Amino acid sequence: MTPFATVYHNPRCNTSRTVLKTIEDTGVTVRVVKYLETPPTEDELRTLLADAGLEPRQAIRTRESIYKELGLAGADADTLIAAMVRHPILIERPIVVTEKGTVLARPADAVQAVL
């Protein structure tokens, strides 16, 4: 069976592009999810974060203007998840899923852990 990876990808993000190229260069079959166009459901996001061993606060983009607009600095985990589902730009990227595990590939070389 050919190795397979799913990448939750933002083509405008340099790190995300670098990670995608790294994966493609290994010959792994890649499924690209442009999560800004097709955001994960709440359950999918919770599963991704749990599988990566991340709390929502570790996977939210605090520098996005919507983060401040929504007053998320003191928000609990459920509120952060709901905000990320409604505003997927808040989801840190790229998230990579392979048979070896799930990782938030930030920095880009963190993807090596699941290749």
Side-chain angles (χ1 to χ4, degrees), residues 78-103:
D78 289 338
T79 301
L80 294 177
I81 292 279
M84 287 190 273
V85 170
R86 275 194 318 275
H87 307 281
I89 192 68
L90 289 169
I91 301 171
E92 191 61 89
R93 73 260 180 167
I95 297 174
V96 179
V97 180
T98 72
E99 63 187 14
K100 294 182 180 177
T102 301
V103 68

mmCIF file of all heavy atoms in Angstrom, residues 78-103:
data_model
loop_
_atom_site.group_PDB
_atom_site.id
_atom_site.type_symbol
_atom_site.label_atom_id
_atom_site.label_comp_id
_atom_site.label_asym_id
_atom_site.label_seq_id
_atom_site.Cartn_x
_atom_site.Cartn_y
_atom_site.Cartn_z
ATOM 1 N N ASP A 78 -13.796 25.220 24.470
ATOM 2 C CA ASP A 78 -14.984 25.065 23.623
ATOM 3 C C ASP A 78 -15.247 26.308 22.788
ATOM 4 O O ASP A 78 -15.616 26.218 21.624
ATOM 5 C CB ASP A 78 -16.214 24.737 24.477
ATOM 6 C CG ASP A 78 -16.175 23.335 25.053
ATOM 7 O OD1 ASP A 78 -15.462 22.463 24.494
ATOM 8 O OD2 ASP A 78 -16.853 23.093 26.069
ATOM 9 N N THR A 79 -15.038 27.481 23.378
ATOM 10 C CA THR A 79 -15.228 28.734 22.646
ATOM 11 C C THR A 79 -14.197 28.864 21.528
ATOM 12 O O THR A 79 -14.525 29.298 20.417
ATOM 13 C CB THR A 79 -15.141 29.935 23.608
ATOM 14 O OG1 THR A 79 -16.147 29.784 24.626
ATOM 15 C CG2 THR A 79 -15.350 31.258 22.885
ATOM 16 N N LEU A 80 -12.962 28.466 21.808
ATOM 17 C CA LEU A 80 -11.915 28.528 20.780
ATOM 18 C C LEU A 80 -12.236 27.592 19.621
ATOM 19 O O LEU A 80 -12.106 27.978 18.455
ATOM 20 C CB LEU A 80 -10.554 28.181 21.374
ATOM 21 C CG LEU A 80 -9.998 29.159 22.407
ATOM 22 C CD1 LEU A 80 -8.677 28.639 22.964
ATOM 23 C CD2 LEU A 80 -9.839 30.554 21.827
ATOM 24 N N ILE A 81 -12.675 26.377 19.939
ATOM 25 C CA ILE A 81 -13.046 25.412 18.886
ATOM 26 C C ILE A 81 -14.163 25.987 18.029
ATOM 27 O O ILE A 81 -14.096 25.955 16.790
ATOM 28 C CB ILE A 81 -13.480 24.063 19.494
ATOM 29 C CG1 ILE A 81 -12.303 23.357 20.139
ATOM 30 C CG2 ILE A 81 -14.167 23.180 18.458
ATOM 31 C CD1 ILE A 81 -11.394 22.615 19.214
ATOM 32 N N ALA A 82 -15.192 26.503 18.667
ATOM 33 C CA ALA A 82 -16.326 27.071 17.924
ATOM 34 C C ALA A 82 -15.865 28.210 17.024
ATOM 35 O O ALA A 82 -16.309 28.321 15.870
ATOM 36 C CB ALA A 82 -17.407 27.547 18.896
ATOM 37 N N ALA A 83 -14.970 29.061 17.525
ATOM 38 C CA ALA A 83 -14.459 30.180 16.725
ATOM 39 C C ALA A 83 -13.658 29.671 15.534
ATOM 40 O O ALA A 83 -13.775 30.199 14.425
ATOM 41 C CB ALA A 83 -13.600 31.100 17.593
ATOM 42 N N MET A 84 -12.852 28.632 15.731
ATOM 43 C CA MET A 84 -12.044 28.093 14.628
ATOM 44 C C MET A 84 -12.923 27.459 13.553
ATOM 45 O O MET A 84 -12.608 27.554 12.368
ATOM 46 C CB MET A 84 -11.021 27.087 15.149
ATOM 47 C CG MET A 84 -9.877 27.741 15.891
ATOM 48 S SD MET A 84 -8.516 26.590 16.266
ATOM 49 C CE MET A 84 -9.056 25.900 17.803
ATOM 50 N N VAL A 85 -14.013 26.837 13.961
ATOM 51 C CA VAL A 85 -14.924 26.234 12.983
ATOM 52 C C VAL A 85 -15.639 27.334 12.189
ATOM 53 O O VAL A 85 -15.767 27.247 10.973
ATOM 54 C CB VAL A 85 -15.936 25.295 13.686
ATOM 55 C CG1 VAL A 85 -17.036 24.858 12.733
ATOM 56 C CG2 VAL A 85 -15.210 24.073 14.254
ATOM 57 N N ARG A 86 -16.076 28.377 12.877
ATOM 58 C CA ARG A 86 -16.772 29.490 12.198
ATOM 59 C C ARG A 86 -15.830 30.339 11.357
ATOM 60 O O ARG A 86 -16.219 30.899 10.333
ATOM 61 C CB ARG A 86 -17.463 30.386 13.226
ATOM 62 C CG ARG A 86 -18.823 29.933 13.633
ATOM 63 C CD ARG A 86 -19.609 31.003 14.390
ATOM 64 N NE ARG A 86 -18.844 31.742 15.370
ATOM 65 C CZ ARG A 86 -18.617 31.366 16.626
ATOM 66 N NH1 ARG A 86 -19.076 30.226 17.060
ATOM 67 N NH2 ARG A 86 -17.921 32.129 17.443
ATOM 68 N N HIS A 87 -14.579 30.463 11.829
ATOM 69 C CA HIS A 87 -13.578 31.317 11.165
ATOM 70 C C HIS A 87 -12.303 30.490 10.971
ATOM 71 O O HIS A 87 -11.343 30.633 11.733
ATOM 72 C CB HIS A 87 -13.282 32.554 12.023
ATOM 73 C CG HIS A 87 -14.491 33.325 12.408
ATOM 74 N ND1 HIS A 87 -15.128 34.190 11.547
ATOM 75 C CD2 HIS A 87 -15.214 33.334 13.562
ATOM 76 C CE1 HIS A 87 -16.176 34.720 12.164
ATOM 77 N NE2 HIS A 87 -16.251 34.209 13.378
ATOM 78 N N PRO A 88 -12.270 29.634 9.950
ATOM 79 C CA PRO A 88 -11.144 28.708 9.794
ATOM 80 C C PRO A 88 -9.782 29.386 9.622
ATOM 81 O O PRO A 88 -8.757 28.740 9.822
ATOM 82 C CB PRO A 88 -11.527 27.860 8.580
ATOM 83 C CG PRO A 88 -12.619 28.593 7.902
ATOM 84 C CD PRO A 88 -13.295 29.432 8.930
ATOM 85 N N ILE A 89 -9.757 30.683 9.310
ATOM 86 C CA ILE A 89 -8.477 31.393 9.221
ATOM 87 C C ILE A 89 -7.758 31.343 10.570
ATOM 88 O O ILE A 89 -6.538 31.496 10.648
ATOM 89 C CB ILE A 89 -8.671 32.855 8.741
ATOM 90 C CG1 ILE A 89 -7.333 33.500 8.379
ATOM 91 C CG2 ILE A 89 -9.392 33.694 9.795
ATOM 92 C CD1 ILE A 89 -6.680 32.917 7.168
ATOM 93 N N LEU A 90 -8.500 31.067 11.641
ATOM 94 C CA LEU A 90 -7.912 30.980 12.972
ATOM 95 C C LEU A 90 -7.167 29.675 13.217
ATOM 96 O O LEU A 90 -6.402 29.568 14.175
ATOM 97 C CB LEU A 90 -9.000 31.142 14.048
ATOM 98 C CG LEU A 90 -9.599 32.537 14.190
ATOM 99 C CD1 LEU A 90 -10.825 32.501 15.084
ATOM 100 C CD2 LEU A 90 -8.552 33.500 14.745
ATOM 101 N N ILE A 91 -7.367 28.678 12.369
ATOM 102 C CA ILE A 91 -6.715 27.383 12.553
ATOM 103 C C ILE A 91 -5.262 27.487 12.093
ATOM 104 O O ILE A 91 -4.986 27.854 10.952
ATOM 105 C CB ILE A 91 -7.439 26.275 11.774
ATOM 106 C CG1 ILE A 91 -8.894 26.148 12.235
ATOM 107 C CG2 ILE A 91 -6.696 24.939 11.942
ATOM 108 C CD1 ILE A 91 -9.738 25.229 11.356
ATOM 109 N N GLU A 92 -4.347 27.157 13.003
ATOM 110 C CA GLU A 92 -2.926 27.152 12.656
ATOM 111 C C GLU A 92 -2.683 26.063 11.622
ATOM 112 O O GLU A 92 -3.349 25.035 11.625
ATOM 113 C CB GLU A 92 -2.089 26.898 13.912
ATOM 114 C CG GLU A 92 -0.615 27.127 13.719
ATOM 115 C CD GLU A 92 -0.256 28.544 13.322
ATOM 116 O OE1 GLU A 92 -0.034 29.369 14.216
ATOM 117 O OE2 GLU A 92 -0.194 28.806 12.099
ATOM 118 N N ARG A 93 -1.740 26.289 10.742
ATOM 119 C CA ARG A 93 -1.490 25.353 9.648
ATOM 120 C C ARG A 93 -0.012 25.175 9.414
ATOM 121 O O ARG A 93 0.773 26.016 9.871
ATOM 122 C CB ARG A 93 -2.161 25.865 8.374
ATOM 123 C CG ARG A 93 -1.454 27.092 7.737
ATOM 124 C CD ARG A 93 -2.111 28.342 8.074
ATOM 125 N NE ARG A 93 -1.482 29.526 7.509
ATOM 126 C CZ ARG A 93 -2.081 30.669 7.505
ATOM 127 N NH1 ARG A 93 -3.277 30.798 7.991
ATOM 128 N NH2 ARG A 93 -1.486 31.738 7.019
ATOM 129 N N PRO A 94 0.296 24.124 8.700
ATOM 130 C CA PRO A 94 -0.535 23.042 8.196
ATOM 131 C C PRO A 94 -0.640 21.903 9.230
ATOM 132 O O PRO A 94 0.278 21.664 9.997
ATOM 133 C CB PRO A 94 0.236 22.550 6.965
ATOM 134 C CG PRO A 94 1.675 22.782 7.348
ATOM 135 C CD PRO A 94 1.677 24.044 8.192
ATOM 136 N N ILE A 95 -1.758 21.242 9.215
ATOM 137 C CA ILE A 95 -1.930 20.033 10.010
ATOM 138 C C ILE A 95 -1.779 18.869 9.040
ATOM 139 O O ILE A 95 -2.380 18.866 7.967
ATOM 140 C CB ILE A 95 -3.296 19.999 10.713
ATOM 141 C CG1 ILE A 95 -3.394 21.163 11.716
ATOM 142 C CG2 ILE A 95 -3.501 18.657 11.415
ATOM 143 C CD1 ILE A 95 -4.757 21.325 12.359
ATOM 144 N N VAL A 96 -0.947 17.896 9.415
ATOM 145 C CA VAL A 96 -0.653 16.751 8.547
ATOM 146 C C VAL A 96 -1.046 15.479 9.271
ATOM 147 O O VAL A 96 -0.694 15.276 10.431
ATOM 148 C CB VAL A 96 0.843 16.706 8.176
ATOM 149 C CG1 VAL A 96 1.138 15.500 7.297
ATOM 150 C CG2 VAL A 96 1.267 18.002 7.487
ATOM 151 N N VAL A 97 -1.767 14.618 8.545
ATOM 152 C CA VAL A 97 -2.203 13.334 9.085
ATOM 153 C C VAL A 97 -1.640 12.232 8.198
ATOM 154 O O VAL A 97 -1.819 12.259 6.979
ATOM 155 C CB VAL A 97 -3.746 13.229 9.109
ATOM 156 C CG1 VAL A 97 -4.191 11.890 9.685
ATOM 157 C CG2 VAL A 97 -4.376 14.394 9.874
ATOM 158 N N THR A 98 -0.943 11.271 8.817
ATOM 159 C CA THR A 98 -0.473 10.080 8.113
ATOM 160 C C THR A 98 -0.763 8.877 9.005
ATOM 161 O O THR A 98 -1.229 9.038 10.131
ATOM 162 C CB THR A 98 1.049 10.123 7.817
ATOM 163 O OG1 THR A 98 1.773 9.928 9.038
ATOM 164 C CG2 THR A 98 1.471 11.411 7.157
ATOM 165 N N GLU A 99 -0.426 7.715 8.507
ATOM 166 C CA GLU A 99 -0.616 6.509 9.318
ATOM 167 C C GLU A 99 0.281 6.521 10.553
ATOM 168 O O GLU A 99 0.037 5.808 11.517
ATOM 169 C CB GLU A 99 -0.357 5.256 8.487
ATOM 170 C CG GLU A 99 1.059 5.151 7.976
ATOM 171 C CD GLU A 99 1.265 3.998 7.009
ATOM 172 O OE1 GLU A 99 0.275 3.425 6.528
ATOM 173 O OE2 GLU A 99 2.430 3.684 6.747
ATOM 174 N N LYS A 100 1.317 7.354 10.541
ATOM 175 C CA LYS A 100 2.228 7.449 11.691
ATOM 176 C C LYS A 100 1.761 8.454 12.737
ATOM 177 O O LYS A 100 2.363 8.555 13.806
ATOM 178 C CB LYS A 100 3.630 7.816 11.225
ATOM 179 C CG LYS A 100 4.280 6.725 10.393
ATOM 180 C CD LYS A 100 5.676 7.112 10.007
ATOM 181 C CE LYS A 100 6.326 6.027 9.170
ATOM 182 N NZ LYS A 100 7.674 6.411 8.730
ATOM 183 N N GLY A 101 0.724 9.237 12.417
ATOM 184 C CA GLY A 101 0.216 10.191 13.397
ATOM 185 C C GLY A 101 -0.233 11.499 12.777
ATOM 186 O O GLY A 101 -0.280 11.646 11.554
ATOM 187 N N THR A 102 -0.538 12.431 13.656
ATOM 188 C CA THR A 102 -1.016 13.757 13.264
ATOM 189 C C THR A 102 -0.105 14.791 13.910
ATOM 190 O O THR A 102 0.242 14.673 15.086
ATOM 191 C CB THR A 102 -2.466 13.965 13.736
ATOM 192 O OG1 THR A 102 -3.282 12.948 13.156
ATOM 193 C CG2 THR A 102 -3.003 15.335 13.341
ATOM 194 N N VAL A 103 0.249 15.806 13.122
ATOM 195 C CA VAL A 103 1.145 16.833 13.633
ATOM 196 C C VAL A 103 0.775 18.195 13.061
ATOM 197 O O VAL A 103 0.333 18.290 11.913
ATOM 198 C CB VAL A 103 2.625 16.483 13.309
ATOM 199 C CG1 VAL A 103 2.898 16.563 11.824
ATOM 200 C CG2 VAL A 103 3.589 17.357 14.071
#
